[in-house]
Amino acid sequence: MGEKSKKRVLSGMRPTGKLHLGHWAGTLSKWVDLQKDYECFFMVADWHALMSEYKDPTSIRETALDNIADWLSWGISPEEAVIFIQSEVKEHLELFMVFSVLTPLGWLYRCPTFKEQISQLKTREINTHAFLGYPVLQASDILIYKADFVPVGEDQLPHLELTRQILRRFHFLYHQEIFPEPQPLLTEVRRLLGLDGRKMSKSYNNCIYLSEEDLVIKEKVMSMFTDPQRIRRKDPGRPEVCNVYSYYKAFFPVYQKEVFNWCTQAEKGCTECKSILAEELCKFIAPKREKKKALLQDRKKLLSLIEEGREKASQEAKKTLVQVKRIIGL
Ligand code: TRP
Ligand code: SF4
């Protein structure tokens, strides 16, 4: 950590619920891989969560701790990466204010994620001042650490583009180029579908959680949809349309060929195919689940890890803010 030769990465997750296998496949596994090659800052974006959960915010803090416990037990290392909670580093909001005054409203109204979310999240009233500024806060998350790279899914690209627009405007207005232009680290989209074949999401109740118990894993896997045309045991199946097969591909690629063969040649039935997957998933999840339990039981230790992260993040954030305030003369 801290070596000058390493480029810097910042990424964040909103603490809106327990983490599931979709988070692992899409985000967390990538973060784990980045730790060695980059100086990583991984953040719980609790202010961003508050923007949509403000009517019932009481679980945000617990979810934040729960998510961090998952990060740690699934391989994020507090020695390699800086793990922290956004709201504990106050400088994010100060830089947010600076960026707010120079960001034209049009940029925000035009942001595709804003338009989308407003139309999708009908159950929550997010037509608010803060929510419009969502990408501005995200820009300050990234730029307060002068991050070189931001690992994001494609859905977040407009926010990264806005971050670059904001920093260019800052550079243009104050004639000092202090921020590197952050580049996306596009994580190849390996979208894991839920048990029912729809997007994995807690609101569809189709998730396998990262701390799921063995019995529940088995029950859930056995309930998965398979190739609908494979009705009898002796019918050959079509792995390419079967969600169970995509789980093998995502988590146990060594099985891929074998499953393809037993499916297309009707050597094994779907029940057996699923129970093997369930066994493997249990073996995969159990050690991390137990590690997480231990972490949550030793709350003091967990909190002190988070405090260390806050300390390291604050140090960097303060440097940038001092520089920014000097430039604008406040
Ligand atoms: N908007 C991101 C998401 O919903 C979370 C986030 C907040 C973030 N700040 C960030 C991601 C900074 C990357 C960098 O997924
Ligand atoms: Fe899917 Fe396995 Fe059944 Fe083939 S045998 S259809 S891969 S569950």
Side-chain angles (χ1 to χ4, degrees):
M1 251 268 326
E3 295 159 52
K4 274 279 162 293
S5 57
K6 277 192 187 176
K7 294 282 187 186
R8 191 173 280 185
V9 155
L10 176 124
S11 197
M13 257 191 231
R14 286 175 310 128
T16 52
K18 282 189 183 297
L19 301 185
H20 51 61
L21 284 177
H23 293 112
W24 168 253
T27 309
L28 197 50
S29 62
K30 312 287 169 28
W31 287 11
V32 169
D33 292 341
L34 290 170
Q35 294 177 105
K36 275 159 222 75
D37 301 326
Y38 298 91
E39 186 192 7
C40 292
F41 286 73
F42 296 133
M43 173 188 84
V44 170
D46 56 349
W47 285 130
H48 281 111
L50 187 65
M51 290 178 192
S52 57
E53 312 298 313
Y54 65 93
K55 287 195 176 169
D56 183 16
T58 48
S59 59
I60 293 178
R61 172 79 184 168
E62 269 319 300
T63 305
L65 300 184
D66 191 273
N67 289 175
I68 290 178
D70 276 328
W71 297 0
L72 293 166
S73 52
W74 283 72
I76 301 291
S77 153
E79 275 109 54
E80 307 247 28
V82 180
I83 298 162
F84 68 101
I85 297 177
Q86 184 187 35
S87 68
E88 294 185 355
V89 181
K90 307 220 176 347
E91 287 76 10
H92 289 237
L93 290 189
E94 293 191 49
L95 190 58
F96 172 55
M97 183 63 201
V98 173
F99 289 161
S100 290
V101 301
L102 57 79
T103 303
L105 278 175
W107 293 3
L108 301 174
Y109 283 125
R110 269 198 307 272
C111 185
T113 50
F114 177 72
K115 291 194 261 182
E116 228 169 77
Q117 300 255 21
I118 288 286
S119 66
Q120 276 175 9
L121 286 176
K122 290 219 172 65
T123 51
R124 298 197 184 74
E125 289 161 41
I126 49 172
N127 212 341
T128 61
H129 172 213
F131 191 73
L132 183 65
Y134 187 111
V136 184
L137 181 57
Q138 188 161 346
S140 48
D141 297 337
I142 297 166
L143 297 177
I144 197 108
Y145 301 105
K146 301 189 176 180
D148 301 293
F149 293 101
V150 183
V152 285
E154 254 180 88
D155 58 317
Q156 293 289 312
L157 281 180
H159 291 167
L160 208 58
E161 187 48 41
L162 217 78
T163 299
R164 281 196 294 268
Q165 278 183 280
I166 290 171
L167 82 85
R168 283 182 205 139
R169 187 153 162 82
F170 182 94
H171 290 165
F172 168 78
L173 287 170
Y174 308 119
H175 317 291
Q176 295 205 46
E177 308 218 340
I178 62 166
F179 298 113
E181 293 215 356
Q183 302 300 319
L185 277 179
L186 259 193
T187 50
E188 122 245 14
V189 220
R190 221 180 15 154
R191 182 144 295 184
L192 188 75
L193 296 177
L195 299 164
D196 54 3
R198 291 187 291 172
K199 176 183 181 238
M200 191 180 277
S201 157
K202 74 170 176 216
S203 47
Y204 291 149
N205 192 22
N206 63 359
C207 309
I208 297 178
Y209 290 98
L210 291 187
S211 50
E212 205 81 273
E213 295 291 339
D214 284 355
L215 267 175
V216 184
I217 297 173
K218 284 181 188 151
E219 234 171 72
K220 287 186 170 177
V221 171
M222 297 318 284
S223 80
M224 283 174 78
F225 297 177
T226 64
D227 176 1
Q229 281 179 25
R230 194 173 180 206
I231 295 156
R232 278 157 307 215
R233 164 73 180 74
K234 62 177 200 310
D235 296 337
R238 298 167 302 165
E240 64 283 0
V241 301
C242 177
N243 198 18
V244 175
Y245 183 65
S246 73
Y247 275 56
Y248 274 109
K249 277 204 293 195
F251 298 109
F252 312 110
V254 290
Y255 266 99
Q256 194 174 330
K257 252 212 181 106
E258 218 180 319
V259 177
F260 187 89
N261 289 336
W262 78 43
C263 177
T264 52
Q265 286 155 37
E267 281 162 10
K268 282 195 200 312
C270 291
T271 308
E272 193 183 350
C273 184
K274 288 197 275 189
S275 47
I276 295 170
L277 175 66
E279 285 298 329
E280 290 299 328
L281 276 175
C282 288
K283 276 195 262 171
F284 181 56
I285 290 174
K288 290 107 170 172
R289 180 185 65 222
E290 299 310 312
K291 194 171 168 196
K292 180 188 187 186
K293 277 185 197 159
L295 274 166
L296 288 177
Q297 262 155 29
D298 193 349
R299 206 178 161 90
K300 252 202 186 137
K301 167 127 178 274
L302 183 63
L303 291 176
S304 87
L305 283 174
I306 296 171
E307 171 54 23
E308 277 169 38
R310 186 200 60 77
E311 184 68 44
K312 291 184 206 159
S314 289
Q315 225 175 3
E316 293 305 302
K318 281 199 178 97
K319 279 195 234 165
T320 306
L321 196 71
V322 165
Q323 198 183 15
V324 165
K325 282 182 135 179
R326 209 183 48 231
I327 288 172
I328 57 179
L330 285 184

